[in-house]
């Protein structure tokens, strides 16, 4: 065996190993966290993102920012996944989860420098996360499903600091009402809450329609505009003459024959309209087309008909009115009709739509969000999504926590106590974890223009004195009892954030070798100058390949 190095990687691939790999991953993770940090909390700022085609998004929402940012680094992507998991699981707390993850990495960096092994760190972090989850469960407050006051406060907390803020009371009303309406024995499916965004008017004019809004007009001018106490038929098919499968050629030899042929078609279409009327329907929704002639006869019968209804609307209509969709009018009968107190064509923001309201059991609702401009409504919509998520989670779990940094400070104290019982070097990792959690109150203070050290000292003292719910009032700078202030978040927002943040951090820390087929670079580089000099930083990462790429 010679001393010749064995080359197993292609020339284009890059390899980063050992401490360099660790450091590269830590820097990338920290950079992601840093990029969303300033948006955290009631006084967090927004960011404006412009994509390559010039589309603009103004947002404060962690997961939206990260998914729009075009991040291109494997380690950074793992942190983005933390936000995505958080979004899927609870719908809120995405920024917090990412910020905690970044801080766990940052704390780990210091311990790695002191020659604490990554595996020890990982072990300590896992233990700490488990202990933290248990501690959170202990301080969680039980919420009854009909405790409207606390549900409102939860809905409102999720909207704080977002574009929706000035209409918080109204919007949290709409959110709580929507979630309660769609809740049934099978649980809560927020897909049954449709959000219609309307440009024009102000946010305060937003409203809830308990029922369905179909984005279509009635099919003919000769049909009525509205129907009261209406029997509703839903046809998942067409009111048209079926084209024959084979190319049939009709040879018309004399004009009478043609007339006969047309008359026959007309009779068929008339028959269809009559079938609808005979079933007793006042309103007809059809997922496919309605022939002109059929339209004419339907209008004669005084039926309000709508065609080309989206399949999602068909489902919603069936759910809301209790109608059973049939594939052909032949199957239509009284039993498969639904009912709505009012079906009417109305105008919103210059568009004609069909409102199906006063339904017996509104299991589907539509929220009409209004706002001055498209960007405003989009951001309100994102705030509403978060808010729907937290109300749903609260109803599902029945447990909440006071917010404003209170749980993190409480946990931090609890974990420092717990650390004493942990032997070996893991103890240091548990302590680092405790420190890392304080990034939330610290950032809330920083973003509110307060002194983070002063705020933390005060918060710790309050919690030491037994006030579990002491948090930071971002508006006055005082530490106050967050439960009195009505700042609540579901327990799961916190437990999920801690779990995914820990998993991602641990995963990154355990990596000591990065082998890439191409170039490694983080494209987002708005925080470049905050990166430590040398190995880190995004510019640094992009350039890393030169020194380390190649072979093994
Ligand atoms: P995330 O994406 O993590 O939800 P947010 O920007 O929504 O980020 O900020 C959430 C943080 O703001 C939580 O720690 C929450 O407790 C805190 N918070 C929300 N409302 C208030 C308030 N009125 N006063 C103090 N803190 C608040
Ligand atoms: Mg939030």
């Amino acid at each position: 065996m010679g001393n010749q190095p064995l080359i197993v990687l292609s020339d284009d691939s890059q390899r980063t190993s050992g401490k360099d790999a660790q450091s590269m991953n830590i820097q990338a993770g920290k950079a992601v966290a840093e990029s969303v940090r300033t948006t955290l909390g009631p006084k967090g700022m927004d960011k404006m993102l412009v994509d390559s085609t010039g589309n603009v998004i103004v947002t404060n929402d962690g997961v939206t920012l990260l998914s729009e940012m075009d991040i291109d680094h494997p380690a950074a992507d793992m942190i983005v996944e933390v936000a995505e998991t958080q979004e899927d699981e609870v719908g809120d707390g995405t920024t917090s989860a990412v910020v905690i993850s970044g801080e766990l990495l940052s704390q780990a960096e210091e311990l790695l420098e002191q020659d604490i092994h990554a595996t020890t760190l990982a072990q300590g972090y896992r233990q700490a996360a488990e202990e933290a989850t248990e501690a959170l469960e202990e301080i969680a407050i039980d919420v009854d499903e009909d405790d409207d006051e606390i549900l409102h406060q939860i809905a409102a907390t999720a909207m704080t600091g977002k574009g929706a803020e000035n209409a918080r009371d109204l919007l949290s009303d709409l959110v709580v009402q929507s979630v309660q309406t769609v809740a049934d024995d099978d649980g809560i499916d927020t897909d049954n809450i449709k959000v219609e965004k309307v440009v024009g008017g102000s946010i305060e004019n937003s409203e809830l329609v308990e029922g369905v809004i179909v984005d279509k007009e009635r099919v003919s001018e000769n049909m009525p505009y509205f129907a009261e106490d209406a029997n509703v038929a839903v046809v998942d098919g067409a009111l048209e003459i079926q084209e024959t499968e084979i190319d049939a050629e009709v040879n018309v030899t004399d004009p009478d024959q043609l007339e006969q042929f047309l008359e026959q078609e007309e009779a068929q279409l008339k028959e269809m309209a009559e079938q609808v009327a005979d079933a007793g329907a006042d309103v007809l929704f059809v997922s496919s087309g309605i022939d002109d002639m059929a339209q004419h006869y339907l209008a004669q019968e005084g039926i309000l008909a709508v065609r080309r209804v989206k399949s999602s609307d068909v489902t919603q209509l069936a759910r809301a009115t209790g109608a059973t969709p049939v594939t052909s009018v032949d199957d239509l009968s009284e039993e498969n009709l639904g009912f709505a107190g009012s079906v009417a064509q109305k105008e919103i923001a210059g568009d004609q739509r069909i409102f199906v309201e006063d339904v017996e059991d509104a299991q589907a609702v539509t929220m009409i969000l209004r706002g001055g401009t498209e960007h405003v409504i989009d951001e309100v919509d994102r705030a509403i999504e978060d808010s729907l998520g937290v109300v749903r989670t609260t109803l599902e779990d029945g447990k909440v926590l006071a917010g404003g940094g209170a749980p993190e400070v409480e946990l931090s104290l609890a974990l420092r106590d717990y650390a004493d019982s942990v032997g070996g070097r893991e103890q240091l990792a548990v302590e680092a974890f405790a420190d890392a959690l304080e990034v939330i109150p610290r950032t809330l203070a920083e973003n509110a223009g307060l002194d983070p050290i002063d705020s933390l000292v005060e918060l710790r003292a309050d919690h030491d004195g037994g006030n579990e719910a002491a948090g930071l009032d971002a508006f006055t700078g005082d530490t106050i009892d967050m439960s009195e202030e009505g700042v609540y978040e579901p327990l799961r927002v916190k437990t999920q954030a801690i779990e995914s943040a820990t998993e991602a951090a641990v995963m990154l820390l355990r990596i000591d070798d990065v082998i890439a087929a191409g170039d490694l670079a983080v494209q987002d580089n708005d925080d470049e100058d905050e990166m430590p000099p040398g190995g880190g930083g995004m510019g640094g990462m992009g350039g890393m390949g030169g020194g380390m790429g190649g072979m093994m």
Side-chain angles (χ1 to χ4, degrees):
M1 282 210 255
N3 288 326
Q4 202 77 347
L6 178 65
I7 301 170
V8 295
L9 292 177
S10 81
D11 278 351
D12 294 337
S13 58
Q14 292 177 21
R15 182 172 183 199
T16 318
S17 305
K19 286 220 184 304
D20 290 330
Q22 249 165 7
S23 158
M24 174 181 79
N25 286 339
I26 288 173
Q27 301 314 328
K30 277 167 63 181
V32 173
E34 202 55 50
S35 68
V36 294
R37 219 177 109 112
T38 57
T39 68
L40 186 82
K43 291 267 194 125
M45 300 294 279
D46 296 346
K47 289 192 188 282
M48 180 186 259
L49 297 171
V50 187
D51 73 10
S52 51
T53 58
N55 273 331
V56 175
I57 295 179
V58 177
T59 188
N60 176 292
D61 189 46
V63 71
T64 308
L65 275 168
L66 294 175
S67 52
E68 298 292 336
M69 233 154 54
D70 195 16
I71 288 171
D72 185 19
H73 186 282
D77 274 341
M78 289 189 176
I79 305 296
V80 177
E81 272 176 29
V82 171
E84 286 166 355
T85 310
Q86 183 78 16
E87 176 80 358
D88 291 345
E89 290 293 318
V90 265
D92 189 28
T94 55
T95 313
S96 306
V98 169
V99 168
I100 292 175
S101 217
E103 191 62 20
L104 285 174
L105 289 171
S106 174
Q107 295 285 339
E109 196 175 25
E110 282 171 33
L111 292 182
L112 287 170
E113 272 165 25
Q114 296 168 33
D115 274 336
I116 310 269
H117 198 276
T119 317
T120 312
L121 257 176
Q123 179 61 23
Y125 272 7
R126 285 226 173 91
Q127 270 172 276
E130 205 169 299
E131 179 69 18
T133 317
E134 279 167 28
L136 281 179
E137 262 153 34
E138 261 165 47
I139 56 169
I141 306 157
D142 289 322
V143 178
D144 229 31
E145 64 183 78
D146 40 46
D147 189 340
D148 282 357
E149 192 189 345
I150 220 166
L151 290 176
H152 273 94
Q153 291 171 334
I154 286 162
T157 301
M159 282 185 241
T160 315
K162 315 267 181 217
E165 187 150 17
N166 40 9
R168 240 173 17 150
D169 285 344
L170 169 77
L171 294 176
S172 46
D173 266 351
L174 302 186
V175 165
V176 173
Q177 211 181 322
S178 320
V179 178
Q180 283 175 337
T181 308
V182 302
D184 61 18
D185 297 341
D186 299 335
I188 299 159
D189 185 355
T190 37
D191 285 347
N192 290 315
I193 302 170
K194 233 168 89 171
V195 175
E196 285 281 344
K197 295 183 268 188
V198 177
V199 182
S202 76
I203 303 180
E204 284 86 9
N205 302 122
S206 300
E207 58 184 319
L208 195 68
V209 174
E210 295 204 17
V212 186
I213 300 176
V214 181
D215 191 2
K216 288 274 146 43
E217 295 180 38
R218 66 202 200 290
V219 78
S220 148
E221 300 265 298
N222 301 324
M223 288 175 176
Y225 260 108
F226 65 91
E228 272 176 18
D229 295 331
N231 290 322
V232 179
V234 179
V235 174
D236 198 358
L239 265 72
E240 282 165 341
I241 305 284
Q242 293 273 315
E243 305 251 335
T244 38
E245 296 271 319
I246 345 147
D247 258 338
E249 210 171 293
V250 185
N251 280 319
V252 182
T253 44
D254 70 278
D256 282 355
Q257 241 181 335
L258 177 63
E259 205 165 307
Q260 226 177 24
F261 181 75
L262 291 175
E263 266 170 20
Q264 202 186 334
E265 271 205 356
E266 192 179 325
Q268 269 179 324
L269 291 163
K270 187 175 179 193
E271 164 81 18
M272 285 183 190
E274 278 165 1
Q275 277 172 316
V276 178
D278 290 348
D282 306 302
V283 178
L284 171 69
F285 289 99
V286 178
S287 67
S288 197
I290 303 179
D291 189 277
D292 286 356
M293 200 53 83
Q295 290 176 23
H296 167 77
Y297 288 114
L298 285 168
Q300 269 190 355
E301 299 281 358
I303 292 170
L304 192 170
V306 184
R307 70 174 166 185
R308 307 220 185 280
V309 177
K310 278 191 301 199
S311 77
S312 58
D313 285 344
V314 167
T315 316
Q316 296 249 0
L317 283 167
R319 239 183 106 98
T321 65
T324 313
V326 293
T327 46
S328 145
V329 282
D330 295 341
D331 303 329
L332 213 54
S333 69
E334 209 182 324
E335 290 104 72
N336 41 43
L337 297 184
F339 179 82
S342 151
V343 178
Q345 179 169 322
K346 297 184 199 170
E347 189 188 287
I348 28 176
D351 281 333
Q352 297 287 327
R353 314 227 172 134
I354 307 286
F355 285 62
V356 181
E357 291 173 87
D358 298 339
V359 285
E360 266 166 43
D361 185 12
Q363 289 162 315
V365 297
T366 303
M367 204 185 287
I368 302 177
L369 287 187
R370 290 179 181 274
T373 76
E374 213 177 306
H375 291 129
V376 170
I377 308 176
D378 284 348
E379 180 65 353
V380 172
D381 184 22
R382 285 188 283 268
I384 294 282
E385 289 294 326
D386 286 7
S387 192
L388 287 170
V390 291
V391 175
R392 188 202 69 213
T393 310
T394 306
L395 287 177
E396 282 172 358
D397 300 354
K399 286 196 185 297
V400 298
L401 290 167
E408 289 84 2
V409 176
E410 185 69 21
L411 274 185
S412 180
L413 289 179
L415 285 176
R416 281 193 195 103
D417 271 348
Y418 168 71
D420 294 340
S421 71
V422 176
R425 294 182 157 203
E426 276 88 355
Q427 181 175 357
L428 297 174
V430 175
E431 277 164 4
F433 197 101
D435 290 344
L437 289 178
E438 282 183 339
V439 72
I440 298 296
R442 207 162 7 102
T443 309
L444 288 174
E446 270 171 29
N447 289 351
L450 302 166
D451 185 300
I453 307 279
D454 287 351
S455 299
L456 255 184
V457 168
E458 216 174 304
L459 281 169
R460 279 187 198 151
D462 274 14
H463 280 260
D464 247 346
N467 188 355
E468 288 173 356
L472 186 69
D473 184 337
F475 302 95
T476 62
D478 299 333
T479 56
I480 51 166
D481 187 321
M482 282 290 153
S483 53
E484 271 166 33
E485 193 70 9
V487 177
Y488 284 114
E489 293 170 284
L491 169 65
R492 218 196 310 166
V493 167
K494 297 294 170 200
T495 51
Q496 182 65 51
I498 288 177
E499 270 165 36
S500 355
T502 309
E503 284 305 313
V506 162
M507 188 178 233
L508 285 180
L509 289 174
R510 292 173 52 91
I511 296 170
D512 79 337
D513 211 348
V514 178
I515 303 157
D519 212 19
L520 285 181
V522 174
Q523 265 163 22
D524 153 40
N525 43 26
D526 64 355
D527 292 290
E528 203 159 6
D529 28 8
E530 284 171 37
M531 287 294 119
M538 307 188 221
M541 264 176 275
M544 230 171 215
M548 288 158 207
M551 46 191 129
M552 56 196 303

